[in-house]
Amino acid sequence: MADAERTLEPMPPESSRPGPIEIAVVGSANVDLSIQVPRIPAPGETVLGGDTARGSGGKGANQAVAASRLGRRVAFVGRVGDDEGGLWLRERLEDDLVDVRALLSTRGVPTGMAVITVDPAGENSIVVAPGANRRVTPHDVNAADTILAEASVVLTQLEIPLDVVAALPSHTRGLLVLNPAPAQPGVALGDYDLVVPNRGELAVLAGADETPDLAVVADQARSLDTPVVVVTLGAQGAMVVRNEPDPLTGEAGGPQVVTLPALPVTAVDTTAAGDSFCGALAAALVEGATIVQAASWAVRVAGVTVTVRGAQDSLPHRAAVGSWED
Ligand code: RIB
């Protein structure tokens, strides 16, 4: 690592909830630039869109904020640059009571940034410039060992280097959950208690084609080397596929496939819907929900998220979504 990129001292937590960490999220933080467009541009096409909206994002930070707004004690492990965007993202996380002791700053490297186009149906396309997210290292994971060991759930994604993700199992005492986004082959899925892909990510992991056929989706999920797979299905909700016995609850019974319908909402922006789902899933599991109860609530929480524009701007607070027990 160049001297100009050296790590700055982490700042002390100022506003996180007191008590042990329940959920640790190891992942990315981005400044999002979102543009509403009449259609997602085709290759070579220029499309005129609306004004740029700046928001706090990054799959990791979004999932941390999602779980914190649902009332859980959450820590975020990651990196930003020592620029205005990095300071702003740190403040946003603190505003949401996320513990940022393990959010490091990298000198001389820009904070991650995402350019997002959103079409009139709420569908998005995202290009990420990882910046400081690419500088997260296994050493950062070692340094966050106390936080990771304390957490009942450790949640990660693939917007940070794979060697960082691969370092997590040896630091995790609770459930280890992977949201394999963006999808890449070569992740040791057997290291995870729970994997939460969308349909396209599942297809990449299974080495197959993306399909609208839910029976084939279930087969693809069963083919993964992981005990429980929860597939997010957008407007179709989600599917829980678990093997016998349920490794999360110890419950016996044959392999189980449960499909959970989505809320009947009109989506204006699906950005961070998957992040909201993962944050809610983790929050409910910490509270003692079964995987099906947790996924059912996560579908509801994601359904509320898509009715509001933006990434973290769209993540609901507990009061808006109630409990998984309701
Ligand atoms: O999942 C949505 C997120 O993906 C955005 O906030 C963007 O930053 C990218 O990480």
Side-chain angles (χ1 to χ4, degrees):
M1 181 183 295
D3 186 49
E5 291 187 12
R6 72 180 181 276
T7 299
L8 305 177
E9 283 302 304
M11 296 184 186
E14 287 170 0
S15 55
S16 53
R17 292 189 173 90
I21 294 299
E22 295 169 309
I23 299 171
V25 182
V26 184
S28 59
N30 295 328
V31 174
D32 288 354
L33 298 178
S34 294
I35 308 169
Q36 290 179 52
V37 290
R39 63 185 174 282
I40 307 288
E45 186 183 19
T46 300
V47 169
L48 294 181
D51 293 340
T52 307
R54 187 196 206 221
S56 44
K59 295 185 195 305
N62 294 346
Q63 293 178 22
V65 168
S68 184
R69 286 190 188 166
L70 295 171
R72 305 285 29 107
R73 288 188 297 274
V74 181
F76 179 66
V77 181
R79 279 184 182 261
V80 290
D82 66 334
D83 49 15
E84 184 276 336
L87 282 176
W88 184 67
L89 292 180
R90 182 185 297 279
E91 285 170 9
R92 297 285 70 76
L93 287 164
E94 287 175 344
D95 289 348
D96 272 301
L97 307 182
V98 173
D99 183 321
V100 290
R101 271 175 296 169
L103 173 59
L104 305 176
S105 296
T106 308
R107 185 164 286 162
V109 173
T111 292
M113 181 168 283
V115 177
I116 304 175
T117 54
V118 183
D119 76 10
E123 286 303 329
N124 64 62
S125 77
I126 304 179
V127 177
V128 175
N133 297 306
R134 236 182 222 140
R135 273 68 175 189
V136 183
T137 68
H139 176 76
D140 299 346
V141 171
N142 285 340
D145 180 66
T146 309
I147 289 171
L148 296 170
E150 196 170 282
S152 306
V153 173
V154 172
L155 181 54
T156 193
Q157 316 77 28
L158 301 180
E159 282 188 338
I160 53 173
L162 289 184
D163 61 346
V164 176
V165 174
L168 292 176
S170 59
H171 294 272
T172 302
R173 310 269 178 283
L175 288 180
L176 183 54
V177 181
L178 173 68
N179 169 223
Q184 333 184 15
V187 181
L189 296 177
D191 288 344
Y192 299 88
D193 299 296
L194 174 56
V195 175
V196 190
N198 65 21
R199 213 187 303 240
E201 291 152 1
L202 172 65
V204 172
L205 297 177
D209 293 331
E210 184 174 343
T211 172
D213 184 334
L214 294 187
V216 178
V217 168
D219 285 344
Q220 291 178 354
R222 271 195 218 98
S223 78
L224 302 188
D225 176 28
T226 194
V228 184
V229 181
V230 179
V231 188
T232 57
L233 299 169
Q236 285 181 285
M239 178 189 285
V240 177
V241 179
R242 70 172 178 82
N243 295 316
E244 179 188 13
D246 186 328
L248 304 182
T249 63
E251 187 187 338
Q256 190 185 24
V257 177
V258 179
T259 306
L260 302 158
L263 282 189
V265 295
T266 302
V268 299
D269 184 350
T270 55
T271 306
D275 301 329
S276 145
F277 185 97
C278 291
L281 192 77
L285 290 173
V286 163
E287 293 173 19
T290 65
I291 186 62
V292 173
Q293 288 169 326
S296 179
W297 189 52
V299 166
R300 269 166 44 205
V301 174
V304 173
T305 302
V306 301
T307 63
V308 180
R309 291 196 184 282
Q312 285 168 36
D313 288 344
S314 70
L315 300 171
H317 287 84
R318 187 74 178 221
V321 290
S323 165
W324 55 270
E325 291 174 289
D326 293 343

